[in-house]
Amino acid sequence: MLPSQPEAPADRTCPTIAEFYAGKTVALTGGTGFLGQGVIEKLLRCCPEIKKIILFIRHKRNVEPKDRLSSLVELPAFDNLWQLQPNFVEKLSFVSCDLEADDLGLSKEDRKTLQNEVNVFYHSAATLKFNEQLRLSFEVNVQCVRRLLKLCKGMHHLHAFVHVSTAYSHCNRYTIDEKVYDTSLDYHDLENSFRWMNDSMVEKITPDVLGNRPNTYTLTKALAEDAVCRESGNLPICIVRPSMIIPAWQEPMPGWCTNLYGPTAFFVAYGKGVLRSVIADKKIVADLIPVDLVVNGVIAAALNDIEAMVSIKHLVPIYNLTTGCHNPLYISDLVSPIKKKWYSTYPLDPLRMPSITVTCNKYLHNASIIMLQTIPAYIYDMVLAVCSKRRKMVKLNSKLNAGMSVMEYFFTNEWRWKQDNTTKLQKSLTPKDQKNFNFDARCFSWSEQIKHYVIGTRQFLVKENMNEYPKARKAVDRLRMMARCVNIVAAIGIYGYCWFVTNLCFK
């Protein structure tokens, strides 16, 4: 049985976050990802006395970790930092790693450096493919955590280990407290099974292993939490659970984003005019949270963690970083301004006129996909082929349909996350830190956030010229006029056909 989880201690005196990180060395996995970039930028900008940040970086597509670090600091997330602290790169270093290897792919020298220098460790690396093959998802999301826990037990000056999980780790429940629930599946048993099963066998058992969970991602993130609780020993550790992370509210700049996962993919696909139907329940809350609120929560969790371990016997504090309870956004309130306002005011360069149906009716959805999305994709590719250009729309359409299938579960179900620990953590900070490291869901308005979201998709994802909005608006208006003409012609054609059948064929 898992022990009950503690509440974060309240009514205590904290150092400021800048004071806590002063002189400390931070290490993190997932530093090249969306959340990781945000954590690095915020630490360097708001904790100027931090000693060093060590990134775990693997070889990727024949690119050396050193080169990946050089490319990382040139990304938009660090534009403001270059102006404020042009020497910030001197505080960044890396260790070459392979998180799927038993020894994490670390050299003896790097391992020694980590053991002697690291004070705070963040683990945010994970496979984000919701339907990843079970064996691989288990390897990356569970086994990696266990290896890192073993590594951190050898760190001589570790003050905090922050494990970034997901608010959907226990999505088979509809009320989720800040505690780890029994998964009814022992990860040791799954590990032993994988040793003698081939991939075909693993694929066959996956539906039974998942049970009432929607995908391998949520299952393996739950198993990872179980491993954290059972194998962390005396490590000062906590778990942070964000819901769906979306572009930034304010930091490092409004609308900042780096990937097309989750709802962001639908924003872009709608703006480009290639997505025509989505299965979603417009009456439920979409629990989305800006990345900068998650960054602030992750950074603050390490500060709170030390005294939590002293005041409470070793139990793992958990923080649900969600918006639904304190600042709910209904899917209807998300879709309406996107369609009627923001993508008209700040459009992407469209391939087709943006238009979408949001429905829970699968028959209507499937018909819309075939008639309004799949058939036009084939026609579009035929035109590209005639023009001797690379065909792309059919492939893109297949990816969109696969993405919609994955996200359907999350857009048709609703959860309630309790946030007692998270609220107490926020209140335990100094007044200045409560402002500078704010992760209170009530601190922003959804109307402005959706505006930033839409603008950010153009600026940071599709990377279209921000000075060409007038041209994009004209293109949308032109496509809208063409669509109306097509509808009129189609209506006349249908009327004419009906008249012909009625007046000639039956006389």
Side-chain angles (χ1 to χ4, degrees):
M1 292 291 293
L2 291 168
S4 60
Q5 303 302 309
E7 292 185 348
D11 303 324
R12 60 187 182 80
T13 303
C14 266
T16 67
I17 289 179
E19 289 172 344
F20 170 75
Y21 283 98
K24 286 186 171 61
T25 295
V26 172
L28 75 160
T29 65
T32 59
F34 184 28
L35 178 60
Q37 289 180 42
V39 169
I40 294 167
E41 192 276 340
K42 181 80 179 210
L43 283 173
L44 291 170
R45 178 165 50 85
C46 296
C47 302
E49 299 302 317
I50 194 170
K51 183 179 179 180
K52 186 194 297 185
I53 298 178
I54 303 173
L55 283 69
F56 280 57
I57 305 180
R58 63 185 174 92
H59 291 77
K60 186 177 182 181
R61 296 173 187 155
N62 298 320
V63 180
E64 295 289 327
K66 181 180 179 180
D67 296 326
R68 291 188 66 194
L69 179 58
S70 297
S71 299
L72 176 69
V73 297
E74 298 299 330
L75 294 176
F78 303 96
D79 286 351
N80 293 334
L81 204 54
W82 279 110
Q83 301 296 322
L84 298 171
Q85 301 176 31
N87 297 324
F88 76 89
V89 291
E90 296 175 2
K91 294 185 177 182
L92 293 177
S93 64
F94 73 92
V95 292
S96 179
C97 72
D98 176 5
L99 298 182
E100 295 176 43
D102 289 339
D103 62 354
L104 297 170
L106 297 171
S107 68
K108 290 183 179 179
E109 286 141 6
D110 285 342
R111 186 176 291 270
K112 185 176 181 181
T113 297
L114 293 167
Q115 290 176 337
N116 291 332
E117 296 185 16
V118 172
N119 307 116
V120 178
F121 196 103
Y122 299 116
H123 175 50
S124 67
T127 175
L128 297 179
K129 290 184 179 180
F130 279 14
N131 283 326
E132 183 63 87
Q133 201 269 351
L134 180 58
R135 188 197 302 273
L136 180 56
S137 186
F138 182 83
E139 187 67 30
V140 176
N141 291 346
V142 182
Q143 299 294 73
C144 172
V145 173
R146 299 174 68 193
R147 296 178 189 118
L148 289 171
L149 290 172
K150 185 176 179 180
L151 172 68
C152 289
K153 287 177 182 177
M155 293 180 179
H156 307 307
H157 310 289
L158 187 68
H159 294 164
F161 182 114
V162 180
H163 171 66
V164 181
S165 183
T166 172
Y168 299 96
S169 56
H170 299 284
C171 61
N172 53 331
R173 298 172 176 267
Y174 291 104
T175 298
I176 303 172
D177 210 334
E178 291 174 309
K179 67 179 183 179
V180 173
Y181 295 93
D182 191 343
T183 61
S184 74
L185 176 68
D186 194 314
Y187 60 87
H188 291 106
D189 293 338
L190 201 55
E191 178 186 28
N192 292 332
S193 298
F194 286 151
R195 288 176 180 153
W196 59 268
M197 285 185 172
N198 59 33
D199 289 344
S200 177
M201 296 171 70
V202 172
E203 186 175 352
K204 287 181 180 179
I205 69 164
T206 296
D208 292 329
V209 173
L210 290 179
N212 58 352
R213 295 176 183 272
N215 51 53
T216 57
Y217 174 77
T218 56
L219 171 65
T220 54
K221 293 298 279 187
L223 294 175
E225 291 186 3
D226 191 10
V228 165
C229 290
R230 293 167 63 179
E231 299 189 20
S232 56
N234 292 320
L235 287 175
I237 197 164
C238 68
I239 295 172
V240 176
R241 291 180 183 153
S243 55
M244 296 186 202
I245 303 178
I246 60 172
W249 160 240
Q250 289 181 323
E251 297 178 316
M253 57 202 75
W256 170 72
C257 188
T258 68
N259 63 50
L260 279 167
Y261 291 114
T264 304
F266 298 117
F267 269 62
V268 173
Y270 169 77
K272 299 297 283 187
V274 296
L275 179 65
R276 307 313 258 192
S277 181
V278 171
I279 290 185
D281 184 348
K282 291 190 282 188
K283 298 178 182 178
I284 68 172
V285 172
D287 208 294
L288 316 178
I289 185 166
V291 65
D292 40 345
L293 271 66
V294 180
V295 166
N296 292 339
V298 167
I299 291 173
L303 174 64
N304 187 70
D305 201 36
I306 299 175
E307 292 191 20
M309 294 303 101
V310 174
S311 60
I312 303 174
K313 292 181 180 180
H314 186 69
L315 295 171
V316 179
I318 296 174
Y319 306 102
N320 289 335
L321 294 181
T322 59
T323 58
C325 286
H326 299 304
N327 191 2
L329 172 69
Y330 291 90
I331 288 181
S332 59
D333 295 330
L334 172 66
V335 173
S336 181
I338 292 173
K339 292 172 62 176
K340 297 180 180 179
K341 184 176 182 180
W342 296 124
Y343 268 122
S344 295
T345 309
Y346 303 102
L348 303 180
D349 295 341
L351 296 172
R352 297 174 62 194
M353 189 198 77
S355 177
I356 197 167
T357 299
V358 180
T359 179
C360 288
N361 188 317
K362 289 191 176 184
Y363 296 104
L364 175 60
H365 169 74
N366 291 334
S368 297
I369 290 294
I370 293 171
M371 299 300 297
L372 303 177
Q373 197 170 300
T374 303
I375 292 176
Y378 277 97
I379 295 172
Y380 199 102
D381 272 1
M382 289 172 60
V383 174
L384 290 176
V386 170
C387 298
S388 300
K389 294 183 179 180
R390 184 174 64 88
R391 291 174 289 182
K392 58 183 179 181
M393 293 304 294
V394 171
K395 183 177 180 180
L396 175 60
N397 181 63
S398 296
K399 288 185 177 180
L400 280 175
N401 290 339
M404 283 187 289
S405 177
V406 168
M407 295 303 297
E408 177 184 332
Y409 177 86
F410 301 97
F411 290 157
T412 55
N413 288 285
E414 188 175 45
W415 293 267
R416 178 179 175 81
W417 287 275
K418 296 186 178 180
Q419 292 185 291
D420 293 342
N421 288 354
T422 303
T423 300
K424 290 179 181 179
L425 174 61
Q426 177 82 18
K427 290 180 178 179
S428 73
L429 304 179
T430 65
K432 183 177 180 180
D433 282 343
Q434 288 185 35
K435 179 179 179 181
N436 293 339
F437 293 86
N438 196 347
F439 47 94
D440 187 336
R442 294 166 290 191
C443 72
F444 69 95
S445 74
W446 278 113
S447 178
E448 281 296 301
Q449 171 60 19
I450 295 171
K451 173 186 173 182
H452 297 328
Y453 202 153
V454 168
I455 294 173
T457 58
R458 182 179 180 98
Q459 181 177 0
F460 300 108
L461 296 177
V462 298
K463 298 180 181 178
E464 295 168 348
N465 192 324
M466 299 300 288
N467 296 319
E468 293 188 352
Y469 272 126
K471 182 179 177 181
R473 292 185 193 107
K474 289 180 180 178
V476 172
D477 290 340
R478 185 165 57 250
L479 289 170
R480 184 178 290 113
M481 184 62 67
M482 290 173 60
R484 287 173 180 170
C485 290
V486 169
N487 290 339
I488 291 172
V489 170
I492 292 173
I494 293 171
Y495 176 81
Y497 175 78
C498 292
W499 182 89
F500 175 81
V501 170
T502 303
N503 292 278
L504 296 180
C505 294
F506 292 100
K507 285 186 178 181

